[in-house]
Amino acid sequence: MITSFQNIPLNIVGPSAEHRDSSYSSQITMNFVPETHKTGATQSLLVPWDGSLPFATIAGSNPRGIYEFGGITYKISDAVLYSVTSAGVVATIGIIEGSNRCIMRDDGVNLIITTGFKWYQYSISTSTLTEFSPPTLSTGLVVTAGNSVAFLNGFAIYDVSDGKFLMSDFGDPDNFQTNNFATAESSPDDLKFVFVFNERAYLMGSRSIETWYISTGNPPLQKTQNGTMPVGLKDIHSVAASQNFVYFRGDDGWIYRFSSTQATNITSSFAASAFETFGNDTAEAYVREYQGGTYYVINFTANNQTWVFSERNHSLSPGIDDWFQLSSGEDLDSYIGAGYFKAFNKHLIEKKGSGDILQLDLDTYTDDGSVIVRVRETPPVNGAALGKPGGRLEMSWLEILMKKGVGTASGAGVDPKIYIQGTFDGANSYSNQEEVEIGRTGEAMMKVRWYHSESFYEASFKIIGYDPVFYSIHGASIGLKFLGD
């Protein structure tokens, strides 16, 4: 009996979800943002993460922090603090010793910088940069500067050595009463980081996180009853906050978030299988907004990978499209953005391995002139698609629904293409990349089709794009017929 090919929907929109059993999942979403919409022509799509273009040129090769304060952006590169105006004009302020990534916070008058072993204050009124140190405590204990600073109701709160935190005088972040200190109480772990969120101070230790609030006494903070979270902080620079949540990498290597006093693990089983192999990687993270969505971006620097958690997708359908990946260059290295801050109504990133500041731009499809490789690998398809689990199939085509016809007038994107390859042996090997044109400027066709004849028990497909043009992926289907058991 001759069976004709059937056009079967293929779930092409989804997260990065690689499993050690590739038959279960071998999905990759790289430099695409999976989005879900309840209304519209399609319910979900992949859109490109924005590219970047130069904003300010700064000397150095070690980006250590970026921050906006008083209408000026401040940038630490190598051992120098710079100011940058809205026009990208750069000026040198002074020396910030060391090579560690820094924490910068302000009280509206002073910018405080912590390096992990030194504290600095920059006064906006006097334009002076000074170094200061914690006092000898009233007990006679000499403590050293820690990793972080946070402001709460006019007080600066610092972590210091010996598991303690120290509070400044009100409105004076570099002056201290010698008895304005305390020790995190619930667990005998090391205090690593202080973070303020929703008018509460979170003392983040290596095995627990305590919640404190403004009170009276010395120091003027009091521990919240039942406010201790039984998870610690692994990487101090993994802490970042959106309007709704504080995100961090826990002591078990997974990613958590909290809004009050309960930390929730948001690491999908697929992301967890990757994160657990990263060990003591130095993770650095930030939160950014992107076209109405909020994203937690975490760079695993030692493992050269960047993962992104979508707060919006998680709220719509938890665990489905939460995590995807970013990369830079043809070798798919970690993302070019080492740090991020929104300033001058622009999204600014520190360029990895450079002192430069780049501006993220929706209409730019390269990263500072370098190629952005966009990849989507689909879930596996097998006989279950035709109601024949375990059956052998034959394919004739793969069809992709796209917004395209956006080639450039000249240059690399004048005749844009995507490249498709399939794997038919459980992701052990892939076919050669074959190009498919996706439309010159003005061509309005919405479907592209890859003709490929192959028989298999299981297959998945990788769609790869190199051209610097906009294209989004809305759906896909595959021409299949059943061959037998």
Side-chain angles (χ1 to χ4, degrees):
M1 180 178 66
I2 298 177
T3 304
S4 60
F5 287 97
Q6 301 180 53
N7 200 30
I8 304 298
L10 178 64
N11 182 17
I12 199 170
V13 177
S16 280
E18 293 185 89
H19 193 270
R20 59 182 179 177
D21 181 354
S22 57
S23 295
Y24 180 53
S25 183
S26 59
Q27 297 181 68
I28 298 172
T29 299
M30 182 80 71
N31 297 318
F32 279 117
V33 182
E35 293 188 359
T36 301
H37 298 272
K38 298 303 182 183
T39 60
T42 53
Q43 298 295 301
S44 59
L45 75 162
L46 298 171
V47 295
W49 186 266
D50 42 358
S52 58
L53 45 84
F55 178 77
T57 300
I58 298 175
S61 60
N62 180 21
R64 298 176 61 198
I66 186 170
Y67 193 82
E68 189 274 335
F69 167 54
I72 298 292
T73 290
Y74 295 89
K75 171 77 169 70
I76 305 173
S77 177
D78 291 350
V80 181
L81 174 65
Y82 298 91
S83 65
V84 187
T85 69
S86 59
V89 177
V90 178
T92 300
I93 294 175
I95 299 299
I96 304 294
E97 292 186 22
S99 59
N100 298 343
R101 191 153 190 86
C102 302
I103 300 298
M104 292 186 273
R105 300 288 187 267
D106 77 271
D107 62 358
V109 178
N110 304 285
L111 175 66
I112 303 298
I113 302 169
T114 63
T115 70
F117 65 98
K118 285 182 180 290
W119 295 340
Y120 296 87
Q121 176 179 263
Y122 178 73
S123 169
I124 193 171
S125 59
T126 63
S127 299
T128 55
L129 178 68
T130 55
E131 181 186 338
F132 65 102
S133 302
T136 299
L137 303 184
S138 58
T139 60
L141 181 66
V142 178
V143 294
T144 57
N147 301 309
S148 57
V149 59
F151 284 94
L152 180 60
N153 287 19
F155 297 96
I157 311 171
Y158 304 85
D159 69 282
V160 294
S161 58
D162 204 41
K164 292 178 170 48
F165 69 89
L166 179 67
M167 292 187 71
S168 75
D169 294 345
F170 178 82
D172 198 355
D174 65 340
N175 281 315
F176 307 90
Q177 301 298 313
T178 59
N179 60 349
N180 261 1
F181 70 92
T183 304
E185 302 171 349
S186 297
S187 178
D189 57 347
D190 181 32
L191 176 61
K192 300 176 70 173
F193 203 80
V194 178
F195 195 81
V196 167
F197 182 74
N198 283 347
E199 298 188 356
R200 295 182 180 184
Y202 292 91
L203 307 184
M204 308 182 78
S206 57
R207 293 194 300 275
S208 66
I209 299 172
E210 296 181 6
T211 310
W212 292 59
Y213 63 93
I214 286 289
S215 182
T216 57
N218 297 101
L221 272 186
Q222 184 170 328
K223 185 175 176 293
T224 302
Q225 188 173 11
N226 300 319
T228 299
M229 298 174 243
V231 58
L233 174 65
K234 179 179 282 293
D235 300 303
I236 61 173
H237 295 294
S238 69
V239 183
S242 68
Q243 293 184 8
N244 301 309
F245 298 99
V246 177
Y247 294 86
F248 67 99
R249 189 183 186 209
D251 56 337
D252 55 9
W254 293 355
I255 308 302
Y256 291 81
R257 73 178 185 183
F258 61 83
S259 60
S260 182
T261 58
Q262 182 65 48
T264 301
N265 183 356
I266 58 169
T267 313
S268 70
S269 60
F270 302 109
S273 65
F275 298 167
E276 287 172 346
T277 68
F278 294 168
N280 292 322
D281 196 345
T282 304
E284 300 173 351
Y286 47 85
V287 167
R288 70 156 297 201
E289 296 179 351
Y290 173 90
Q291 291 193 299
T294 301
Y295 300 91
Y296 174 72
V297 181
I298 181 164
N299 288 312
F300 295 97
T301 56
N303 283 273
N304 202 26
Q305 292 191 31
T306 302
W307 287 70
V308 184
F309 174 81
S310 170
E311 188 173 291
R312 175 174 60 185
N313 285 359
H314 186 81
S315 66
L316 292 173
S317 50
I320 303 302
D321 295 326
D322 297 349
W323 289 93
F324 59 95
Q325 293 167 268
L326 299 177
S327 68
S328 295
E330 294 190 51
D331 293 332
L332 303 183
D333 294 328
S334 60
Y335 181 53
I336 196 171
Y340 165 85
F341 209 91
K342 187 175 182 181
F344 320 128
N345 203 30
K346 302 178 189 294
H347 299 275
L348 303 179
I349 57 173
E350 297 178 277
K351 184 178 180 180
K352 178 180 66 174
S354 168
D356 294 345
I357 300 175
L358 305 178
Q359 176 184 340
L360 298 176
D361 182 67
L362 286 171
D363 297 319
T364 299
Y365 304 104
T366 60
D367 270 330
D368 196 22
S370 297
V371 66
I372 299 175
V373 182
R374 306 192 193 276
V375 181
R376 171 60 184 161
E377 181 159 0
T378 70
V381 59
N382 53 42
L386 293 178
K388 304 287 186 178
R392 189 167 184 83
L393 305 177
E394 182 179 354
M395 71 168 288
S396 178
W397 68 80
L398 174 67
E399 188 172 80
I400 304 172
L401 179 64
M402 306 178 66
K403 178 181 179 181
K404 57 186 189 65
V406 290
T408 58
S410 61
V414 68
D415 188 15
K417 303 173 179 63
I418 57 171
Y419 296 83
I420 302 176
Q421 54 185 163
T423 176
F424 306 96
D425 57 5
N428 291 313
S429 63
Y430 288 81
S431 65
N432 293 330
Q433 291 185 14
E434 297 184 28
E435 66 180 41
V436 180
E437 293 186 357
I438 59 172
R440 294 174 179 267
T441 301
E443 294 182 0
M445 291 179 60
M446 291 295 291
K447 294 180 180 179
V448 297
R449 182 172 282 199
W450 177 54
Y451 289 97
H452 187 89
S453 180
E454 191 92 30
S455 62
F456 58 85
Y457 287 101
E458 178 184 281
S460 60
F461 304 93
K462 188 178 291 186
I463 294 92
I464 307 170
Y466 302 92
D467 286 314
V469 298
F470 175 89
Y471 55 94
S472 58
I473 298 177
H474 294 242
S477 60
I478 183 171
L480 293 177
K481 69 178 178 180
F482 176 63
L483 293 181
D485 296 325

